[in-house]
Amino acid sequence: MHHGLFVTGTDTGVGKTILAAGLLARYRTEFLLRYWKPIQTGIEEDDDTATVQQLVGCSQEEIFDQGIRLRRPVSPHLAAEFSGMTINLDTLTELPEIKSNERCLIVEGAGGVLVPVTESSMMVDLMVRLGFPVLIAARTSLGTINHTLLTIEALRARDLQIAGVALIGNPESGARRSIEQYGQVSVIIDMPVLDPLTPEVLESWVSSAFDPEGALRQWLK
Ligand SMILES: Nc1ncnc2c1ncn2[C@@H]1O[C@H](COP(=O)(O)OP(=O)(O)OP(=O)(O)O)[C@@H](O)[C@H]1O
Ligand SMILES: [Mg+2]
């Protein structure tokens, strides 16, 4: 059986890509990992695969750069329509590289859980097909409790396992406590704003503060 971890977010632009890069930087020497962005929209201005590769200095084996690549920076179902194609989730998940269990896949979604992907499916349907535990990237700013709890509900309604929550941005302790209490989840990563966002700054922060308890280890084996 193939295995992996799905990185989702409470919204687009919350920091999923930087979180995934941090995860690879933290655990790539301990586990065989491979980053995968199955659906990328706005590819000309936003190439998450290239960002991760650049920030982490990944080898070829650590990146799987196949999947749906669309030009328009809009929701996948609309971007596909503009390109005159339909996204097929079965085709994506049947890729032989995805079915192999050689490396643990670190999969990054596009936007959040209920982002439409086709006329009748959403990003969460891809998560269900893959069946991987889910790491939720959330902002620290006001509104995040509601967004995170809604995301948790949508995942639990589909029996998806939640590996934890990562709070990204300037520290905000109230949100953390409430998310843990009302969501019955653990906030396992507090990712500050890294400035400048360079491979060196990321590596230095990761080595001292990314998942200090090693909570993600159990999913990466
Ligand atoms: N911890 C951080 N420190 C500094 N900048 C960050 C951090 N996290 C995210 N950013 C910046 O915020 C912007 C959005 O982050 P990111 O691209 O990771 O979001 P995303 O959730 O992956 O979005 P998408 O849904 O498009 O994949 C980027 O410009 C990124 O460089
Ligand atoms: Mg991203």
Side-chain angles (χ1 to χ4, degrees):
M1 194 37 200
H2 60 314
H3 66 308
L5 187 69
F6 199 108
V7 181
T8 190
T10 53
D11 195 359
T12 186
V14 289
K16 293 185 298 291
T17 303
I18 313 306
L19 176 66
L23 197 158
L24 267 105
R26 166 79 159 92
Y27 285 115
R28 64 197 287 242
T29 54
E30 208 174 320
F31 303 105
L32 292 176
L33 306 177
R34 174 175 288 160
Y35 171 86
W36 184 38
K37 179 88 176 180
I39 303 174
Q40 173 79 65
T41 61
I43 182 79
E44 281 169 9
E45 54 269 19
D46 213 6
D47 184 346
D48 291 356
T49 308
T51 301
V52 169
Q53 192 149 26
Q54 187 262 330
L55 276 175
V56 184
C58 294
S59 67
Q60 268 189 353
E61 296 76 46
E62 290 173 306
I63 295 278
F64 181 53
D65 192 7
Q66 280 184 42
I68 310 289
R69 304 288 182 255
L70 298 162
R71 281 189 50 222
R72 294 272 185 141
V74 293
S75 164
H77 75 306
L78 285 179
E81 199 179 309
F82 279 123
S83 301
M85 56 95 70
T86 307
I87 295 170
N88 185 325
L89 292 183
D90 291 329
T91 311
L92 264 183
T93 51
E94 290 300 316
L95 288 168
E97 290 87 347
I98 300 312
K99 297 185 89 177
S100 102
N101 65 359
E102 217 176 88
R103 284 177 176 264
C104 177
L105 284 173
I106 307 302
V107 187
E108 181 187 340
V113 288
L114 299 192
V115 159
V117 169
T118 69
E119 283 295 305
S120 58
S121 64
M122 299 180 286
M123 192 53 67
V124 74
D125 296 305
L126 175 60
M127 299 181 198
V128 168
R129 273 177 168 72
L130 291 169
F132 299 156
V134 182
L135 175 63
I136 303 170
R139 295 191 175 94
T140 53
S141 52
L142 193 64
T144 196
I145 299 172
N146 178 50
H147 290 151
T148 308
L149 297 180
L150 284 169
T151 303
I152 290 169
E153 274 210 6
L155 294 171
R156 293 224 171 104
R158 291 159 179 89
D159 291 326
L160 284 163
Q161 188 143 29
I162 298 170
V165 173
L167 281 177
I168 303 169
N170 295 320
E172 208 287 301
S173 63
R176 177 201 186 91
R177 220 177 30 247
S178 302
I179 287 167
E180 291 193 328
Q181 181 190 333
Y182 295 97
Q184 291 297 297
V185 286
S186 299
V187 174
I188 54 175
I189 295 158
D190 289 287
M191 193 183 215
V193 175
L194 301 170
D195 186 21
L197 183 55
T198 59
E200 295 74 28
V201 170
L202 179 71
E203 174 61 36
S204 149
W205 172 74
V206 159
S207 61
S208 63
F210 188 103
D211 188 16
E213 309 288 324
L216 289 176
R217 260 197 197 104
Q218 59 181 308
W219 314 112
L220 305 175
K221 283 177 192 153

